[in-house]
Amino acid sequence: MLTKKQKNLLLFINKKLRASGVSPSYEEMKDSLNLKSKSGIHRLISALEERGFIRRLAHKARALEVIKLPETASANDIYNSFSPSVIKGGLDTEETKIDEMEIPVLGKIAAGTPVEAIQNEVARIPLPSNLEKNGQYFGLKVQGDSMIEAGINEGDTVIIKRSDTADNGKIVVALIDEHEAMLKRIRRKGKTVALESANRNYETKIFGPDRVKVQGVLVSLYRNF
């Protein structure tokens, strides 16, 4: 479990790395947390490194790499701004440029009750410029409110990278019984697959491993596309 300052610093570093590819300076980190000295930043970075969230890159001044983010991080925490219609993330409002590459929006995905799995292309949206171009991506418009505590609201458009695997704790598009799709956080334990909501009003759904197939992993999010 991270302290509030450790988590905020980790998210700030991640935001800067995703936006520019360059680690923030110690001065920027100090200012982002409203600390009076840089010594506090050194202690926080050491704590994050000891817990396996970041690592320092050898032979590069103040170069940091984010290895993982806390599972409690919301979409608002993780993803950056790409255009005025895209979710604002991190601790400031700077925007990155939109790449010319476009991806299809394939209809709706349930954040609540399952809906029909795959629909036809209904629109196209730009791929955020900081995502790798060698993957396959698609968008789905969110229907329902079961992921609101992860910052994903009805009417948002999630950007999904196609994949048939996902680490525990990742938010995925899960295909159930070959015909229903849901946006949930996935966890596997033994011979069961749990699909968790991010809304305390919804129960976790438990399935056998043969009933659930991962179709892709959430990598970004557009607000009210």
Side-chain angles (χ1 to χ4, degrees):
M1 180 71 69
L2 297 180
T3 67
K4 184 177 180 180
K5 285 184 178 179
Q6 288 169 353
K7 179 183 176 183
N8 287 344
L9 179 60
L10 177 61
L11 295 175
F12 179 70
I13 293 169
N14 183 65
K15 168 68 164 42
K16 287 294 185 180
L17 285 171
R18 288 176 65 90
S20 66
V22 179
S23 302
S25 67
Y26 280 88
E27 189 69 26
E28 290 174 318
M29 289 187 274
K30 176 178 72 71
D31 291 343
S32 76
L33 298 182
N34 294 316
L35 298 180
K36 294 182 179 180
S37 69
K38 297 177 186 177
S39 60
I41 295 298
H42 286 282
R43 288 193 295 272
L44 290 170
I45 287 176
S46 295
L48 289 171
E49 190 173 28
E50 289 172 3
R51 288 165 173 78
F53 286 91
I54 64 172
R55 67 179 167 208
R56 304 179 214 230
L57 301 180
H59 311 302
K60 292 185 179 180
R62 70 176 177 83
L64 301 171
E65 178 184 6
V66 174
I67 299 173
K68 63 181 180 179
L69 292 171
E71 291 185 1
T72 55
S74 70
N76 286 12
D77 294 325
I78 299 171
Y79 303 119
N80 294 317
S81 304
F82 306 111
S83 77
S85 65
V86 182
I87 190 167
K88 300 292 184 182
L91 304 180
D92 58 45
T93 58
E94 72 178 62
E95 297 180 359
T96 57
K97 295 180 180 179
I98 296 176
D99 194 274
E100 293 180 356
M101 182 177 174
E102 291 188 335
I103 61 173
V105 177
L106 302 179
K108 296 180 179 179
I109 181 71
T113 305
V115 295
E116 289 297 321
I118 296 296
Q119 297 154 60
N120 295 326
E121 180 178 324
V122 297
R124 296 189 72 82
I125 55 177
L127 180 70
S129 60
N130 65 337
L131 294 181
E132 297 177 357
K133 305 303 183 291
N134 59 354
Q136 289 184 301
Y137 301 90
F138 60 93
L140 291 166
K141 198 155 189 175
V142 175
Q143 178 176 295
D145 63 355
S146 74
M147 300 302 289
I148 57 175
E149 291 172 16
I152 303 171
N153 300 310
E154 184 161 17
D156 293 344
T157 298
V158 289
I159 297 177
I160 305 297
K161 184 175 184 179
R162 290 187 186 275
S163 174
D164 58 6
T165 62
D167 294 335
N168 273 351
K170 292 291 186 181
I171 296 175
V172 304
V173 173
L175 184 65
I176 304 164
D177 296 332
E178 299 289 347
H179 73 280
E180 293 178 325
M182 302 183 74
L183 185 71
K184 298 291 181 186
R185 194 181 299 277
I186 192 170
R187 295 189 195 280
R188 294 182 179 87
K189 185 175 182 180
K191 295 183 178 181
T192 62
V193 178
L195 298 179
E196 298 177 350
S197 298
N199 183 332
R200 64 196 67 188
N201 295 320
Y202 288 80
E203 294 182 353
T204 297
K205 297 179 181 293
I206 306 295
F207 299 93
D210 295 336
R211 295 185 60 194
V212 179
K213 292 183 179 179
V214 173
Q215 302 289 288
V217 179
L218 175 70
V219 294
S220 193
L221 181 144
Y222 279 69
R223 178 73 73 203
N224 293 327
F225 166 71

